Amino acid sequence: MSFFIASSPHHHMRRNTADLMRLVLLAMVPGVLAQWYFFGWGVILQIALAISVALAAEALCLLARNREASSGLRDYTAVVTAALLAISIPPLAPWWVIVIGTLFSIVIVKHLFGGVGHNIFNPAMAGYVLLLISFPAQMTSWLPPVTIAHELPGFWDSVRLLLFGFTGDGYSLEQIRHVDTGAMLDAVVMATPLDHIKTELAQGFTLSEAKGAVIFQGVAGSGWQWVNLAYLAGGLYLLKQRVISWHIPGALLGTLAVFALLGAVFAPDQLPNVDIHLFSGATMLAAFFIATDPVSAATSTRGKLIYAALIGLLIYVIRTWGGYPDAVAFAVLLANLCVPVIDQYTKPTAYGHHEERS
C-alpha cells in the first residue's frame, strides 16, 4: 500500500511560467499592432531582432552556468523581456541599439543576478535606461505617426534604415522625421507628445499653446492615445485570465490620475491634465505589462498597492520636474529598489504566529 503525499489544499496557480508568458505575449498583440499601424514596420523589425538576440544570449548564459539551454528557452521569459524593450524604443533606432540593450537586459540584469526569479530589477526597463543614458540622440528619434506623416517608410526602406541609416532613395532618418506642415518644417513632430509638452513649458509657453501643435490631434497626442488604449485592452485580458491582479495597475493608474488631477486644479495651464498622463507615453504598458513583473514587484497585497502607488507618484514627479518626459523606466527601477523594504513591512503574519515588532 503506497502512501501518497500532496501539498496542502490551498489555491494554486495551475499554469507554469511558459503558459503565463505566452498569455502576456498574446495580450501585447493589440498594442504592437497599434504601434505598427501608427509608426511603421520598424516596430516589428525591432521586436524580431530583439527576440533573436535575447534567445541567443539566454542560451549562451545557460550553457555557461551549466544549465540546460532548451528548458530555459521554453519558458518565454527572454522573449517577453526582448519584446518589452523593443516596443519601448524608437522604431527605426539603429540595429546596434536594440542589440546592446537586449544583451544588457539578459546577460547583466537577468543572469548575473541568478537568472529567472532572482533579478531585483525589471530587465527590460534596466536595458531601456542604459540605452537612454548612453545614446540619447538615437533613443529620442521617434517617427511622426502616420496620421501626421501620411506615409511611413515601407518594409524594405525600414530594413535599410535600421541596418544602414538610409532608405533606398538615399533619405536619412532625420530627413524622414521632418514633416512639411504647409508653411515650414515643424520639428515638433519629431518628439513624443510628453517630450513636446515638457519642451514647450520650459520655454515659457502655456499648456494650451503646447497642445495647439499638430502632434496633438486627439486626446493625448496623435496615435499615442490609441496605442495606450490597445495596451489597456491587452491588460484587461490579462486581468480576465487572472495572469495579473488589479492591485498594481489600479494603484499605479489611480495614483497618477490623482496627482495629475491635483496639478490640473492648481496649475491648469502649466501642468498636463489627467488624459495626457494616462493616455500618452508608456503609461498603460507600464501599468499592465511592466510594473506587474512578478519577480521584481512586491509580493503581498498591501505591498503591491504601495509599490504601484510609488511608481505612479514617481512617474508624475519625474514627468513634471525631472529631465525625462516619460519617466516610466526610472520610476519602475526606483520602485524595484524599494521592494525588499516594502515586502519586509507588508508581509502577512503566519497563522498562529505573533511577531513582535520593535
Side-chain angles (χ1 to χ4, degrees), residues 36-62:
W36 168 72
Y37 173 78
F38 285 104
F39 298 103
W41 282 102
V43 177
I44 307 299
L45 295 173
Q46 295 283 10
I47 292 174
L49 182 56
I51 290 176
S52 301
V53 173
L55 291 176
E58 181 88 353
L60 291 174
C61 287
L62 289 170

mmCIF file with all atom_site columns, all heavy atoms in Angstrom, residues 36-62:
data_model
loop_
_atom_site.group_PDB
_atom_site.id
_atom_site.type_symbol
_atom_site.label_atom_id
_atom_site.label_alt_id
_atom_site.label_comp_id
_atom_site.label_asym_id
_atom_site.label_entity_id
_atom_site.label_seq_id
_atom_site.pdbx_PDB_ins_code
_atom_site.Cartn_x
_atom_site.Cartn_y
_atom_site.Cartn_z
_atom_site.occupancy
_atom_site.B_iso_or_equiv
_atom_site.pdbx_formal_charge
_atom_site.auth_seq_id
_atom_site.auth_comp_id
_atom_site.auth_asym_id
_atom_site.auth_atom_id
_atom_site.pdbx_PDB_model_num
ATOM 1   N N   . TRP A 1 36 ? 2.527  49.358 -34.818 1.00 0.00 ? 36 TRP A N   1
ATOM 2   C CA  . TRP A 1 36 ? 2.891  49.082 -36.214 1.00 0.00 ? 36 TRP A CA  1
ATOM 3   C C   . TRP A 1 36 ? 2.093  49.960 -37.159 1.00 0.00 ? 36 TRP A C   1
ATOM 4   O O   . TRP A 1 36 ? 2.646  50.515 -38.120 1.00 0.00 ? 36 TRP A O   1
ATOM 5   C CB  . TRP A 1 36 ? 2.657  47.609 -36.511 1.00 0.00 ? 36 TRP A CB  1
ATOM 6   C CG  . TRP A 1 36 ? 2.720  47.271 -37.973 1.00 0.00 ? 36 TRP A CG  1
ATOM 7   C CD1 . TRP A 1 36 ? 3.829  47.237 -38.769 1.00 0.00 ? 36 TRP A CD1 1
ATOM 8   C CD2 . TRP A 1 36 ? 1.615  46.941 -38.812 1.00 0.00 ? 36 TRP A CD2 1
ATOM 9   N NE1 . TRP A 1 36 ? 3.479  46.913 -40.063 1.00 0.00 ? 36 TRP A NE1 1
ATOM 10  C CE2 . TRP A 1 36 ? 2.129  46.714 -40.119 1.00 0.00 ? 36 TRP A CE2 1
ATOM 11  C CE3 . TRP A 1 36 ? 0.245  46.808 -38.593 1.00 0.00 ? 36 TRP A CE3 1
ATOM 12  C CZ2 . TRP A 1 36 ? 1.307  46.378 -41.190 1.00 0.00 ? 36 TRP A CZ2 1
ATOM 13  C CZ3 . TRP A 1 36 ? -0.578 46.465 -39.651 1.00 0.00 ? 36 TRP A CZ3 1
ATOM 14  C CH2 . TRP A 1 36 ? -0.037 46.257 -40.937 1.00 0.00 ? 36 TRP A CH2 1
ATOM 15  N N   . TYR A 1 37 ? 0.808  50.137 -36.893 1.00 0.00 ? 37 TYR A N   1
ATOM 16  C CA  . TYR A 1 37 ? -0.032 50.962 -37.767 1.00 0.00 ? 37 TYR A CA  1
ATOM 17  C C   . TYR A 1 37 ? 0.408  52.418 -37.733 1.00 0.00 ? 37 TYR A C   1
ATOM 18  O O   . TYR A 1 37 ? 0.520  53.068 -38.782 1.00 0.00 ? 37 TYR A O   1
ATOM 19  C CB  . TYR A 1 37 ? -1.498 50.853 -37.349 1.00 0.00 ? 37 TYR A CB  1
ATOM 20  C CG  . TYR A 1 37 ? -2.400 51.803 -38.101 1.00 0.00 ? 37 TYR A CG  1
ATOM 21  C CD1 . TYR A 1 37 ? -2.802 51.522 -39.406 1.00 0.00 ? 37 TYR A CD1 1
ATOM 22  C CD2 . TYR A 1 37 ? -2.823 52.998 -37.519 1.00 0.00 ? 37 TYR A CD2 1
ATOM 23  C CE1 . TYR A 1 37 ? -3.609 52.407 -40.115 1.00 0.00 ? 37 TYR A CE1 1
ATOM 24  C CE2 . TYR A 1 37 ? -3.628 53.885 -38.211 1.00 0.00 ? 37 TYR A CE2 1
ATOM 25  C CZ  . TYR A 1 37 ? -4.018 53.583 -39.509 1.00 0.00 ? 37 TYR A CZ  1
ATOM 26  O OH  . TYR A 1 37 ? -4.816 54.479 -40.206 1.00 0.00 ? 37 TYR A OH  1
ATOM 27  N N   . PHE A 1 38 ? 0.666  52.950 -36.545 1.00 0.00 ? 38 PHE A N   1
ATOM 28  C CA  . PHE A 1 38 ? 0.970  54.375 -36.419 1.00 0.00 ? 38 PHE A CA  1
ATOM 29  C C   . PHE A 1 38 ? 2.435  54.712 -36.678 1.00 0.00 ? 38 PHE A C   1
ATOM 30  O O   . PHE A 1 38 ? 2.743  55.837 -37.074 1.00 0.00 ? 38 PHE A O   1
ATOM 31  C CB  . PHE A 1 38 ? 0.570  54.885 -35.031 1.00 0.00 ? 38 PHE A CB  1
ATOM 32  C CG  . PHE A 1 38 ? -0.906 55.055 -34.848 1.00 0.00 ? 38 PHE A CG  1
ATOM 33  C CD1 . PHE A 1 38 ? -1.636 54.137 -34.114 1.00 0.00 ? 38 PHE A CD1 1
ATOM 34  C CD2 . PHE A 1 38 ? -1.576 56.119 -35.435 1.00 0.00 ? 38 PHE A CD2 1
ATOM 35  C CE1 . PHE A 1 38 ? -3.009 54.284 -33.952 1.00 0.00 ? 38 PHE A CE1 1
ATOM 36  C CE2 . PHE A 1 38 ? -2.942 56.277 -35.282 1.00 0.00 ? 38 PHE A CE2 1
ATOM 37  C CZ  . PHE A 1 38 ? -3.668 55.357 -34.543 1.00 0.00 ? 38 PHE A CZ  1
ATOM 38  N N   . PHE A 1 39 ? 3.362  53.753 -36.460 1.00 0.00 ? 39 PHE A N   1
ATOM 39  C CA  . PHE A 1 39 ? 4.783  54.073 -36.570 1.00 0.00 ? 39 PHE A CA  1
ATOM 40  C C   . PHE A 1 39 ? 5.554  53.193 -37.548 1.00 0.00 ? 39 PHE A C   1
ATOM 41  O O   . PHE A 1 39 ? 6.757  53.359 -37.692 1.00 0.00 ? 39 PHE A O   1
ATOM 42  C CB  . PHE A 1 39 ? 5.438  54.011 -35.190 1.00 0.00 ? 39 PHE A CB  1
ATOM 43  C CG  . PHE A 1 39 ? 4.867  54.999 -34.215 1.00 0.00 ? 39 PHE A CG  1
ATOM 44  C CD1 . PHE A 1 39 ? 3.981  54.580 -33.232 1.00 0.00 ? 39 PHE A CD1 1
ATOM 45  C CD2 . PHE A 1 39 ? 5.181  56.343 -34.297 1.00 0.00 ? 39 PHE A CD2 1
ATOM 46  C CE1 . PHE A 1 39 ? 3.437  55.493 -32.343 1.00 0.00 ? 39 PHE A CE1 1
ATOM 47  C CE2 . PHE A 1 39 ? 4.641  57.264 -33.415 1.00 0.00 ? 39 PHE A CE2 1
ATOM 48  C CZ  . PHE A 1 39 ? 3.753  56.842 -32.438 1.00 0.00 ? 39 PHE A CZ  1
ATOM 49  N N   . GLY A 1 40 ? 4.880  52.281 -38.215 1.00 0.00 ? 40 GLY A N   1
ATOM 50  C CA  . GLY A 1 40 ? 5.514  51.580 -39.312 1.00 0.00 ? 40 GLY A CA  1
ATOM 51  C C   . GLY A 1 40 ? 6.183  50.268 -38.951 1.00 0.00 ? 40 GLY A C   1
ATOM 52  O O   . GLY A 1 40 ? 6.124  49.771 -37.824 1.00 0.00 ? 40 GLY A O   1
ATOM 53  N N   . TRP A 1 41 ? 6.862  49.715 -39.971 1.00 0.00 ? 41 TRP A N   1
ATOM 54  C CA  . TRP A 1 41 ? 7.449  48.382 -39.884 1.00 0.00 ? 41 TRP A CA  1
ATOM 55  C C   . TRP A 1 41 ? 8.602  48.284 -38.898 1.00 0.00 ? 41 TRP A C   1
ATOM 56  O O   . TRP A 1 41 ? 8.977  47.187 -38.481 1.00 0.00 ? 41 TRP A O   1
ATOM 57  C CB  . TRP A 1 41 ? 7.942  47.950 -41.264 1.00 0.00 ? 41 TRP A CB  1
ATOM 58  C CG  . TRP A 1 41 ? 6.847  47.485 -42.153 1.00 0.00 ? 41 TRP A CG  1
ATOM 59  C CD1 . TRP A 1 41 ? 6.251  48.176 -43.169 1.00 0.00 ? 41 TRP A CD1 1
ATOM 60  C CD2 . TRP A 1 41 ? 6.199  46.211 -42.110 1.00 0.00 ? 41 TRP A CD2 1
ATOM 61  N NE1 . TRP A 1 41 ? 5.274  47.429 -43.760 1.00 0.00 ? 41 TRP A NE1 1
ATOM 62  C CE2 . TRP A 1 41 ? 5.221  46.209 -43.130 1.00 0.00 ? 41 TRP A CE2 1
ATOM 63  C CE3 . TRP A 1 41 ? 6.343  45.075 -41.329 1.00 0.00 ? 41 TRP A CE3 1
ATOM 64  C CZ2 . TRP A 1 41 ? 4.394  45.119 -43.376 1.00 0.00 ? 41 TRP A CZ2 1
ATOM 65  C CZ3 . TRP A 1 41 ? 5.527  43.987 -41.558 1.00 0.00 ? 41 TRP A CZ3 1
ATOM 66  C CH2 . TRP A 1 41 ? 4.567  44.010 -42.571 1.00 0.00 ? 41 TRP A CH2 1
ATOM 67  N N   . GLY A 1 42 ? 9.186  49.411 -38.518 1.00 0.00 ? 42 GLY A N   1
ATOM 68  C CA  . GLY A 1 42 ? 10.317 49.365 -37.594 1.00 0.00 ? 42 GLY A CA  1
ATOM 69  C C   . GLY A 1 42 ? 9.976  48.681 -36.285 1.00 0.00 ? 42 GLY A C   1
ATOM 70  O O   . GLY A 1 42 ? 10.832 48.026 -35.675 1.00 0.00 ? 42 GLY A O   1
ATOM 71  N N   . VAL A 1 43 ? 8.722  48.808 -35.836 1.00 0.00 ? 43 VAL A N   1
ATOM 72  C CA  . VAL A 1 43 ? 8.302  48.165 -34.583 1.00 0.00 ? 43 VAL A CA  1
ATOM 73  C C   . VAL A 1 43 ? 8.470  46.650 -34.683 1.00 0.00 ? 43 VAL A C   1
ATOM 74  O O   . VAL A 1 43 ? 9.042  46.009 -33.797 1.00 0.00 ? 43 VAL A O   1
ATOM 75  C CB  . VAL A 1 43 ? 6.835  48.524 -34.273 1.00 0.00 ? 43 VAL A CB  1
ATOM 76  C CG1 . VAL A 1 43 ? 6.366  47.793 -33.023 1.00 0.00 ? 43 VAL A CG1 1
ATOM 77  C CG2 . VAL A 1 43 ? 6.672  50.026 -34.117 1.00 0.00 ? 43 VAL A CG2 1
ATOM 78  N N   . ILE A 1 44 ? 7.982  46.066 -35.771 1.00 0.00 ? 44 ILE A N   1
ATOM 79  C CA  . ILE A 1 44 ? 8.064  44.623 -35.955 1.00 0.00 ? 44 ILE A CA  1
ATOM 80  C C   . ILE A 1 44 ? 9.522  44.179 -36.109 1.00 0.00 ? 44 ILE A C   1
ATOM 81  O O   . ILE A 1 44 ? 9.941  43.147 -35.561 1.00 0.00 ? 44 ILE A O   1
ATOM 82  C CB  . ILE A 1 44 ? 7.245  44.186 -37.181 1.00 0.00 ? 44 ILE A CB  1
ATOM 83  C CG1 . ILE A 1 44 ? 5.817  44.728 -37.086 1.00 0.00 ? 44 ILE A CG1 1
ATOM 84  C CG2 . ILE A 1 44 ? 7.245  42.675 -37.321 1.00 0.00 ? 44 ILE A CG2 1
ATOM 85  C CD1 . ILE A 1 44 ? 5.059  44.234 -35.893 1.00 0.00 ? 44 ILE A CD1 1
ATOM 86  N N   . LEU A 1 45 ? 10.294 44.957 -36.858 1.00 0.00 ? 45 LEU A N   1
ATOM 87  C CA  . LEU A 1 45 ? 11.696 44.604 -37.072 1.00 0.00 ? 45 LEU A CA  1
ATOM 88  C C   . LEU A 1 45 ? 12.489 44.642 -35.765 1.00 0.00 ? 45 LEU A C   1
ATOM 89  O O   . LEU A 1 45 ? 13.325 43.759 -35.510 1.00 0.00 ? 45 LEU A O   1
ATOM 90  C CB  . LEU A 1 45 ? 12.318 45.558 -38.097 1.00 0.00 ? 45 LEU A CB  1
ATOM 91  C CG  . LEU A 1 45 ? 11.739 45.486 -39.517 1.00 0.00 ? 45 LEU A CG  1
ATOM 92  C CD1 . LEU A 1 45 ? 12.312 46.595 -40.383 1.00 0.00 ? 45 LEU A CD1 1
ATOM 93  C CD2 . LEU A 1 45 ? 12.019 44.119 -40.135 1.00 0.00 ? 45 LEU A CD2 1
ATOM 94  N N   . GLN A 1 46 ? 12.237 45.649 -34.936 1.00 0.00 ? 46 GLN A N   1
ATOM 95  C CA  . GLN A 1 46 ? 12.938 45.731 -33.649 1.00 0.00 ? 46 GLN A CA  1
ATOM 96  C C   . GLN A 1 46 ? 12.579 44.546 -32.760 1.00 0.00 ? 46 GLN A C   1
ATOM 97  O O   . GLN A 1 46 ? 13.456 43.980 -32.079 1.00 0.00 ? 46 GLN A O   1
ATOM 98  C CB  . GLN A 1 46 ? 12.574 47.045 -32.934 1.00 0.00 ? 46 GLN A CB  1
ATOM 99  C CG  . GLN A 1 46 ? 13.023 48.309 -33.636 1.00 0.00 ? 46 GLN A CG  1
ATOM 100 C CD  . GLN A 1 46 ? 14.508 48.601 -33.463 1.00 0.00 ? 46 GLN A CD  1
ATOM 101 O OE1 . GLN A 1 46 ? 15.269 47.786 -32.967 1.00 0.00 ? 46 GLN A OE1 1
ATOM 102 N NE2 . GLN A 1 46 ? 14.933 49.781 -33.891 1.00 0.00 ? 46 GLN A NE2 1
ATOM 103 N N   . ILE A 1 47 ? 11.312 44.147 -32.761 1.00 0.00 ? 47 ILE A N   1
ATOM 104 C CA  . ILE A 1 47 ? 10.897 43.007 -31.947 1.00 0.00 ? 47 ILE A CA  1
ATOM 105 C C   . ILE A 1 47 ? 11.593 41.728 -32.425 1.00 0.00 ? 47 ILE A C   1
ATOM 106 O O   . ILE A 1 47 ? 12.110 40.941 -31.613 1.00 0.00 ? 47 ILE A O   1
ATOM 107 C CB  . ILE A 1 47 ? 9.365  42.840 -31.994 1.00 0.00 ? 47 ILE A CB  1
ATOM 108 C CG1 . ILE A 1 47 ? 8.684  44.009 -31.288 1.00 0.00 ? 47 ILE A CG1 1
ATOM 109 C CG2 . ILE A 1 47 ? 8.946  41.517 -31.355 1.00 0.00 ? 47 ILE A CG2 1
ATOM 110 C CD1 . ILE A 1 47 ? 7.175  44.001 -31.407 1.00 0.00 ? 47 ILE A CD1 1
ATOM 111 N N   . ALA A 1 48 ? 11.607 41.518 -33.743 1.00 0.00 ? 48 ALA A N   1
ATOM 112 C CA  . ALA A 1 48 ? 12.241 40.317 -34.286 1.00 0.00 ? 48 ALA A CA  1
ATOM 113 C C   . ALA A 1 48 ? 13.726 40.271 -33.956 1.00 0.00 ? 48 ALA A C   1
ATOM 114 O O   . ALA A 1 48 ? 14.268 39.226 -33.552 1.00 0.00 ? 48 ALA A O   1
ATOM 115 C CB  . ALA A 1 48 ? 12.031 40.259 -35.793 1.00 0.00 ? 48 ALA A CB  1
ATOM 116 N N   . LEU A 1 49 ? 14.409 41.408 -34.096 1.00 0.00 ? 49 LEU A N   1
ATOM 117 C CA  . LEU A 1 49 ? 15.842 41.461 -33.803 1.00 0.00 ? 49 LEU A CA  1
ATOM 118 C C   . LEU A 1 49 ? 16.096 41.250 -32.319 1.00 0.00 ? 49 LEU A C   1
ATOM 119 O O   . LEU A 1 49 ? 17.006 40.501 -31.921 1.00 0.00 ? 49 LEU A O   1
ATOM 120 C CB  . LEU A 1 49 ? 16.408 42.804 -34.265 1.00 0.00 ? 49 LEU A CB  1
ATOM 121 C CG  . LEU A 1 49 ? 17.910 43.026 -34.077 1.00 0.00 ? 49 LEU A CG  1
ATOM 122 C CD1 . LEU A 1 49 ? 18.712 41.934 -34.770 1.00 0.00 ? 49 LEU A CD1 1
ATOM 123 C CD2 . LEU A 1 49 ? 18.300 44.404 -34.620 1.00 0.00 ? 49 LEU A CD2 1
ATOM 124 N N   . ALA A 1 50 ? 15.286 41.890 -31.477 1.00 0.00 ? 50 ALA A N   1
ATOM 125 C CA  . ALA A 1 50 ? 15.484 41.773 -30.034 1.00 0.00 ? 50 ALA A CA  1
ATOM 126 C C   . ALA A 1 50 ? 15.260 40.340 -29.562 1.00 0.00 ? 50 ALA A C   1
ATOM 127 O O   . ALA A 1 50 ? 16.030 39.814 -28.746 1.00 0.00 ? 50 ALA A O   1
ATOM 128 C CB  . ALA A 1 50 ? 14.530 42.714 -29.303 1.00 0.00 ? 50 ALA A CB  1
ATOM 129 N N   . ILE A 1 51 ? 14.224 39.678 -30.068 1.00 0.00 ? 51 ILE A N   1
ATOM 130 C CA  . ILE A 1 51 ? 13.948 38.302 -29.657 1.00 0.00 ? 51 ILE A CA  1
ATOM 131 C C   . ILE A 1 51 ? 15.072 37.367 -30.102 1.00 0.00 ? 51 ILE A C   1
ATOM 132 O O   . ILE A 1 51 ? 15.502 36.479 -29.352 1.00 0.00 ? 51 ILE A O   1
ATOM 133 C CB  . ILE A 1 51 ? 12.587 37.844 -30.212 1.00 0.00 ? 51 ILE A CB  1
ATOM 134 C CG1 . ILE A 1 51 ? 11.454 38.594 -29.502 1.00 0.00 ? 51 ILE A CG1 1
ATOM 135 C CG2 . ILE A 1 51 ? 12.416 36.336 -30.055 1.00 0.00 ? 51 ILE A CG2 1
ATOM 136 C CD1 . ILE A 1 51 ? 10.078 38.287 -30.039 1.00 0.00 ? 51 ILE A CD1 1
ATOM 137 N N   . SER A 1 52 ? 15.583 37.567 -31.307 1.00 0.00 ? 52 SER A N   1
ATOM 138 C CA  . SER A 1 52 ? 16.683 36.728 -31.799 1.00 0.00 ? 52 SER A CA  1
ATOM 139 C C   . SER A 1 52 ? 17.912 36.867 -30.911 1.00 0.00 ? 52 SER A C   1
ATOM 140 O O   . SER A 1 52 ? 18.531 35.863 -30.518 1.00 0.00 ? 52 SER A O   1
ATOM 141 C CB  . SER A 1 52 ? 17.029 37.107 -33.246 1.00 0.00 ? 52 SER A CB  1
ATOM 142 O OG  . SER A 1 52 ? 15.914 36.950 -34.101 1.00 0.00 ? 52 SER A OG  1
ATOM 143 N N   . VAL A 1 53 ? 18.282 38.103 -30.582 1.00 0.00 ? 53 VAL A N   1
ATOM 144 C CA  . VAL A 1 53 ? 19.442 38.338 -29.725 1.00 0.00 ? 53 VAL A CA  1
ATOM 145 C C   . VAL A 1 53 ? 19.195 37.792 -28.320 1.00 0.00 ? 53 VAL A C   1
ATOM 146 O O   . VAL A 1 53 ? 20.088 37.183 -27.710 1.00 0.00 ? 53 VAL A O   1
ATOM 147 C CB  . VAL A 1 53 ? 19.764 39.844 -29.672 1.00 0.00 ? 53 VAL A CB  1
ATOM 148 C CG1 . VAL A 1 53 ? 20.867 40.135 -28.656 1.00 0.00 ? 53 VAL A CG1 1
ATOM 149 C CG2 . VAL A 1 53 ? 20.176 40.345 -31.049 1.00 0.00 ? 53 VAL A CG2 1
ATOM 150 N N   . ALA A 1 54 ? 17.979 37.976 -27.799 1.00 0.00 ? 54 ALA A N   1
ATOM 151 C CA  . ALA A 1 54 ? 17.666 37.521 -26.447 1.00 0.00 ? 54 ALA A CA  1
ATOM 152 C C   . ALA A 1 54 ? 17.758 36.003 -26.333 1.00 0.00 ? 54 ALA A C   1
ATOM 153 O O   . ALA A 1 54 ? 18.303 35.475 -25.354 1.00 0.00 ? 54 ALA A O   1
ATOM 154 C CB  . ALA A 1 54 ? 16.274 37.998 -26.046 1.00 0.00 ? 54 ALA A CB  1
ATOM 155 N N   . LEU A 1 55 ? 17.237 35.289 -27.316 1.00 0.00 ? 55 LEU A N   1
ATOM 156 C CA  . LEU A 1 55 ? 17.283 33.827 -27.267 1.00 0.00 ? 55 LEU A CA  1
ATOM 157 C C   . LEU A 1 55 ? 18.722 33.315 -27.364 1.00 0.00 ? 55 LEU A C   1
ATOM 158 O O   . LEU A 1 55 ? 19.104 32.367 -26.658 1.00 0.00 ? 55 LEU A O   1
ATOM 159 C CB  . LEU A 1 55 ? 16.428 33.244 -28.393 1.00 0.00 ? 55 LEU A CB  1
ATOM 160 C CG  . LEU A 1 55 ? 14.915 33.434 -28.250 1.00 0.00 ? 55 LEU A CG  1
ATOM 161 C CD1 . LEU A 1 55 ? 14.184 32.907 -29.473 1.00 0.00 ? 55 LEU A CD1 1
ATOM 162 C CD2 . LEU A 1 55 ? 14.399 32.764 -26.984 1.00 0.00 ? 55 LEU A CD2 1
ATOM 163 N N   . ALA A 1 56 ? 19.519 33.949 -28.214 1.00 0.00 ? 56 ALA A N   1
ATOM 164 C CA  . ALA A 1 56 ? 20.918 33.542 -28.321 1.00 0.00 ? 56 ALA A CA  1
ATOM 165 C C   . ALA A 1 56 ? 21.666 33.817 -27.022 1.00 0.00 ? 56 ALA A C   1
ATOM 166 O O   . ALA A 1 56 ? 22.426 32.966 -26.528 1.00 0.00 ? 56 ALA A O   1
ATOM 167 C CB  . ALA A 1 56 ? 21.584 34.272 -29.487 1.00 0.00 ? 56 ALA A CB  1
ATOM 168 N N   . ALA A 1 57 ? 21.454 34.997 -26.444 1.00 0.00 ? 57 ALA A N   1
ATOM 169 C CA  . ALA A 1 57 ? 22.120 35.341 -25.191 1.00 0.00 ? 57 ALA A CA  1
ATOM 170 C C   . ALA A 1 57 ? 21.655 34.439 -24.055 1.00 0.00 ? 57 ALA A C   1
ATOM 171 O O   . ALA A 1 57 ? 22.458 34.008 -23.210 1.00 0.00 ? 57 ALA A O   1
ATOM 172 C CB  . ALA A 1 57 ? 21.854 36.807 -24.848 1.00 0.00 ? 57 ALA A CB  1
ATOM 173 N N   . GLU A 1 58 ? 20.361 34.140 -24.030 1.00 0.00 ? 58 GLU A N   1
ATOM 174 C CA  . GLU A 1 58 ? 19.817 33.261 -22.992 1.00 0.00 ? 58 GLU A CA  1
ATOM 175 C C   . GLU A 1 58 ? 20.464 31.881 -23.067 1.00 0.00 ? 58 GLU A C   1
ATOM 176 O O   . GLU A 1 58 ? 20.864 31.302 -22.047 1.00 0.00 ? 58 GLU A O   1
ATOM 177 C CB  . GLU A 1 58 ? 18.299 33.162 -23.161 1.00 0.00 ? 58 GLU A CB  1
ATOM 178 C CG  . GLU A 1 58 ? 17.605 32.294 -22.132 1.00 0.00 ? 58 GLU A CG  1
ATOM 179 C CD  . GLU A 1 58 ? 17.206 33.053 -20.886 1.00 0.00 ? 58 GLU A CD  1
ATOM 180 O OE1 . GLU A 1 58 ? 17.579 34.234 -20.740 1.00 0.00 ? 58 GLU A OE1 1
ATOM 181 O OE2 . GLU A 1 58 ? 16.530 32.444 -20.033 1.00 0.00 ? 58 GLU A OE2 1
ATOM 182 N N   . ALA A 1 59 ? 20.559 31.342 -24.269 1.00 0.00 ? 59 ALA A N   1
ATOM 183 C CA  . ALA A 1 59 ? 21.143 30.013 -24.446 1.00 0.00 ? 59 ALA A CA  1
ATOM 184 C C   . ALA A 1 59 ? 22.603 29.985 -24.013 1.00 0.00 ? 59 ALA A C   1
ATOM 185 O O   . ALA A 1 59 ? 23.044 29.071 -23.301 1.00 0.00 ? 59 ALA A O   1
ATOM 186 C CB  . ALA A 1 59 ? 21.005 29.582 -25.904 1.00 0.00 ? 59 ALA A CB  1
ATOM 187 N N   . LEU A 1 60 ? 23.370 30.990 -24.412 1.00 0.00 ? 60 LEU A N   1
ATOM 188 C CA  . LEU A 1 60 ? 24.787 31.033 -24.047 1.00 0.00 ? 60 LEU A CA  1
ATOM 189 C C   . LEU A 1 60 ? 24.977 31.179 -22.546 1.00 0.00 ? 60 LEU A C   1
ATOM 190 O O   . LEU A 1 60 ? 25.872 30.555 -21.951 1.00 0.00 ? 60 LEU A O   1
ATOM 191 C CB  . LEU A 1 60 ? 25.470 32.184 -24.793 1.00 0.00 ? 60 LEU A CB  1
ATOM 192 C CG  . LEU A 1 60 ? 25.618 32.005 -26.311 1.00 0.00 ? 60 LEU A CG  1
ATOM 193 C CD1 . LEU A 1 60 ? 26.179 33.267 -26.948 1.00 0.00 ? 60 LEU A CD1 1
ATOM 194 C CD2 . LEU A 1 60 ? 26.511 30.804 -26.620 1.00 0.00 ? 60 LEU A CD2 1
ATOM 195 N N   . CYS A 1 61 ? 24.149 32.009 -21.911 1.00 0.00 ? 61 CYS A N   1
ATOM 196 C CA  . CYS A 1 61 ? 24.267 32.186 -20.460 1.00 0.00 ? 61 CYS A CA  1
ATOM 197 C C   . CYS A 1 61 ? 23.915 30.907 -19.712 1.00 0.00 ? 61 CYS A C   1
ATOM 198 O O   . CYS A 1 61 ? 24.576 30.544 -18.733 1.00 0.00 ? 61 CYS A O   1
ATOM 199 C CB  . CYS A 1 61 ? 23.351 33.324 -20.000 1.00 0.00 ? 61 CYS A CB  1
ATOM 200 S SG  . CYS A 1 61 ? 23.932 34.971 -20.445 1.00 0.00 ? 61 CYS A SG  1
ATOM 201 N N   . LEU A 1 62 ? 22.883 30.212 -20.178 1.00 0.00 ? 62 LEU A N   1
ATOM 202 C CA  . LEU A 1 62 ? 22.506 28.963 -19.534 1.00 0.00 ? 62 LEU A CA  1
ATOM 203 C C   . LEU A 1 62 ? 23.597 27.908 -19.679 1.00 0.00 ? 62 LEU A C   1
ATOM 204 O O   . LEU A 1 62 ? 23.910 27.174 -18.735 1.00 0.00 ? 62 LEU A O   1
ATOM 205 C CB  . LEU A 1 62 ? 21.179 28.461 -20.115 1.00 0.00 ? 62 LEU A CB  1
ATOM 206 C CG  . LEU A 1 62 ? 19.940 29.272 -19.727 1.00 0.00 ? 62 LEU A CG  1
ATOM 207 C CD1 . LEU A 1 62 ? 18.729 28.840 -20.550 1.00 0.00 ? 62 LEU A CD1 1
ATOM 208 C CD2 . LEU A 1 62 ? 19.640 29.120 -18.237 1.00 0.00 ? 62 LEU A CD2 1
#
